[in-house]
Amino acid sequence: MVWDIDSTPTAKWLAGQARPNQFRALRNRLLLSYLALAAAISGTFATVVYSVVSRDRNAQLNEHIEQVAVSAVGTLEIIQHEYVELLTEDEDRSQVPLDPDGLPQPITLSDLMGQYEADSILDVESDLLPPAHQGVQWYDPQGHLMVQEGMIFPDAPLPLDLPSQGLRVQYPNLRTFAIPVRQAHAQGNAPLLGYVRVTESTQLLESELRRLRWGLGLGGMVVAGLTTLSGLWLTRESLKPVVASYTQLRQFTSDASHELRNPLTAIRASVAVMQTHPERVHPADWEKLGAIASASEQMSHLVDDLLLLARMDRQTPQSATWRTLALDELLEDLVDLYGDRAQQAHLILQHGPWPSLQVKGDAAQLQRLFTNLLTNALQYTPAGGQVTLTLQRTAQQALVQVEDTGIGIAAEQIPHIFDRFWRADSARSWHQGGSGLGLAIAQTIAQHHHGSITVQSTPNLGSCFSIRLPLA
Ligand code: ADP
């Protein structure tokens, strides 16, 4: 199983293991989640408003068209009668224009009956026939257009197979409603009198909906701006108590370590003095004295580690005081230092030759980083195993890898290994002396140097820790 520890910075931060600059990452994540939620809510709101208004306005338009149609249906019989009379009376027939086929062309209602009659037949005035936005057409039973009124008519011919309740058709910028008209009060299949078709422009509706879309869009932008500002404020406020308790916790660790340091130094000094005068110690107590010396030694290492972490937590990296360091030489020193120990543990320590790569940093801290990883590799690898130290260049970074063929780390434990004081159970039974601070220190040092540590591990096969540092 391969894991990348850097992928869980928030979890580590929440566990109190990360440095304060990672608050920024958490704040950004909170802010992003908040903004995504707010965008989803306001987007849904705008969509609902738009669809409700659009449906409502469309329904109003349909209702209006149908009202006009109903009104026009009632006039078809009388209009047809007048039209037929006009065609059959010789002296008036010349008033009806003919098309190239000799068929009579449609005339307007007001031409047929006079404006007053037209208005009164339709029983409504300009509202029913607003010439700029509406048109009404009356057809005979064969679908021949006899009379029309208004300004807007579709180019499409009237479909004759209309359902009895009428048919609504949407054209670009136009909507029509056509209905067959049958004789009223007739029994059975009433004879067809003709058809009526009402047309209305949808341009007004479209421009109204366009304005609404703009309004919602602009409103959405204002809401997004306000949400971002309030989100910034909210996330900062909500993190304040967390930051405060984080700082308090760090301060407590630092103070406690400081307070422990002096008594520990006193104990170690006293034990050292006693050990230099064995004649003054009762032989039965000699072993106990050794145990006290070893425990106080261990405690003072622990306190030193805690103080180092506390100092690095407090400080921003002092890059002004950093030196340019040859990583290959630093690793070479490490191999010289730990070569014997590897040999004693019957381990093969593979190393070099390495390219000459330079990084900027604090020599003591970087040495500590690699020491922690190398001693872990030596500690957690059974005799006969191998530990390999490699150094290579990748883009603008130096990549150091400490690889072993040791006990490995279970996948579910990997997210915890950089937590302070965390140790795997297998590690406890394998090696007693550890404190669980080594990797936390290594990670803090790497981060201080603008680098990172990642780990890949397979239980019983081994682990590989990769440290990336920017090249000088
Ligand atoms: P410790 O003092 O216990 O070595 P570290 O912080 O260095 O503390 O390591 C934390 C834990 O990570 C160890 O207790 C062990 O469980 C695991 N670990 C670290 N390095 C290795 C490794 N090379 N192989 C297997 N487990 C490791």
Side-chain angles (χ1 to χ4, degrees):
M1 173 66 77
V2 174
W3 278 79
D4 189 341
I5 271 301
D6 277 359
S7 62
T8 58
T10 313
K12 283 181 282 154
W13 175 80
L14 284 174
Q17 309 307 320
R19 288 181 292 118
N21 66 5
Q22 283 178 285
F23 280 96
R24 208 174 308 133
L26 179 68
R27 203 181 68 194
N28 291 344
R29 279 176 64 144
L30 276 177
L31 182 63
L32 275 181
S33 317
Y34 173 76
L35 290 183
L37 261 176
I41 292 170
S42 44
T44 311
F45 171 76
T47 312
V48 169
V49 167
Y50 181 77
S51 54
V52 166
V53 172
S54 157
R55 273 175 63 155
D56 191 49
R57 294 292 295 115
N58 271 294
Q60 272 180 7
L61 184 71
N62 292 340
E63 205 178 313
H64 185 242
I65 295 181
E66 281 170 31
Q67 273 174 5
V68 175
V70 167
S71 181
V73 161
T75 63
L76 179 69
E77 210 166 349
I78 183 165
I79 286 173
Q80 196 168 18
H81 177 77
E82 289 289 324
Y83 183 73
V84 170
E85 237 175 39
L86 188 69
L87 286 182
T88 48
E89 282 173 15
D90 278 352
E91 64 275 23
D92 290 333
R93 185 175 172 130
S94 59
Q95 290 175 17
V96 180
L98 298 177
D99 66 12
D101 298 333
L103 291 169
Q105 284 194 342
I107 57 172
T108 65
L109 185 62
S110 28
D111 282 350
L112 180 69
M113 311 186 70
Q115 188 64 49
Y116 177 78
E117 283 291 321
D119 289 351
S120 65
I121 279 179
L122 287 170
D123 202 22
V124 252
E125 298 195 350
S126 55
D127 181 39
L128 190 67
L129 289 175
H133 298 288
Q134 194 171 270
V136 185
Q137 295 167 306
W138 290 264
Y139 293 83
D140 67 14
Q142 289 72 42
H144 175 71
L145 178 58
M146 303 178 293
V147 175
Q148 62 186 22
E149 189 70 48
M151 300 284 280
I152 290 195
F153 306 105
D155 283 339
L158 175 81
L160 295 183
D161 52 345
L162 292 171
S164 58
Q165 73 275 16
L167 178 71
R168 192 180 304 123
V169 183
Q170 177 70 46
Y171 299 100
N173 297 329
L174 295 180
R175 188 172 299 173
T176 66
F177 179 71
I179 187 165
V181 186
R182 296 187 181 274
Q183 205 167 45
H185 315 301
Q187 297 293 316
N189 200 3
L192 185 69
L193 287 179
Y195 303 89
V196 163
R197 176 158 75 172
V198 178
T199 305
E200 257 194 49
S201 160
T202 49
Q203 267 174 339
L204 283 179
L205 173 67
E206 283 303 329
S207 65
E208 192 182 322
L209 291 179
R210 203 175 310 123
R211 276 200 306 278
L212 179 64
R213 282 196 295 271
W214 268 100
L216 288 171
L218 286 175
M221 280 194 259
V222 173
V223 168
L226 290 175
T227 313
T228 310
L229 289 179
S230 62
L232 277 171
W233 181 80
L234 265 179
T235 45
R236 190 168 301 138
E237 285 302 302
S238 60
L239 280 180
K240 266 183 187 168
V242 184
V243 176
S245 56
Y246 173 86
T247 316
Q248 219 172 1
L249 191 77
R250 288 289 141 100
Q251 190 58 44
F252 170 77
T253 317
S254 166
D255 292 348
S257 313
H258 259 292
E259 294 305 319
L260 282 172
R261 208 179 189 182
N262 291 342
L264 261 177
T265 313
I267 294 171
R268 284 178 63 203
S270 312
V271 171
V273 169
M274 287 166 84
Q275 281 179 324
T276 50
H277 298 283
E279 71 283 358
R280 293 190 205 160
V281 182
H282 192 281
D285 295 331
W286 186 248
E287 210 171 301
K288 289 176 198 147
L289 195 64
I292 295 173
S294 141
S296 52
E297 181 78 18
Q298 210 177 329
M299 273 182 79
S300 94
H301 278 310
L302 186 64
V303 167
D304 285 349
D305 283 354
L306 279 175
L307 278 174
L308 175 69
L309 278 171
R311 207 169 40 245
M312 284 199 289
D313 285 341
R314 259 200 318 270
Q315 286 171 354
T316 45
Q318 307 274 310
S319 42
T321 61
W322 286 356
R323 286 192 296 118
T324 303
L325 305 164
L327 260 189
D328 46 316
E329 286 173 19
L330 205 140
L331 294 179
E332 198 68 60
D333 291 348
L334 216 63
V335 170
D336 289 346
L337 218 61
Y338 287 92
D340 286 348
R341 185 164 154 187
Q343 228 169 6
Q344 280 160 19
H346 304 290
L347 296 172
I348 302 166
L349 180 55
Q350 285 270 2
H351 57 90
W354 296 307
S356 159
L357 294 181
Q358 294 187 323
V359 293
K360 275 203 152 208
D362 181 311
Q365 285 187 3
L366 287 180
Q367 200 161 19
R368 182 72 198 274
L369 188 167
F370 297 120
T371 304
N372 285 4
L373 297 178
L374 183 60
T375 50
N376 274 354
L378 295 175
Q379 252 157 32
Y380 298 115
T381 306
Q386 182 171 312
V387 174
T388 313
L389 257 180
T390 57
L391 168 66
Q392 50 188 300
R393 183 193 178 120
T394 60
Q396 291 307 306
Q397 290 182 317
L399 169 66
V400 180
Q401 286 184 308
V402 184
E403 194 172 358
D404 63 57
T405 56
I407 60 173
I409 307 163
E412 67 277 9
Q413 294 178 335
I414 290 200
H416 306 291
I417 59 168
F418 291 93
D419 291 357
R420 293 174 188 185
F421 295 112
W422 188 90
R423 302 192 71 206
D425 288 341
S426 55
R428 283 177 203 279
S429 52
W430 187 263
H431 166 66
Q432 301 289 325
S435 65
L437 286 178
L439 288 183
I441 290 176
Q443 189 190 45
T444 310
I445 294 174
Q447 287 172 346
H448 257 236
H449 286 78
H450 312 296
S452 65
I453 297 191
T454 55
V455 60
Q456 296 178 341
S457 188
T458 312
N460 301 320
L461 280 185
S463 313
C464 178
F465 286 83
S466 305
I467 305 96
R468 288 177 178 78
L469 294 170
L471 285 169

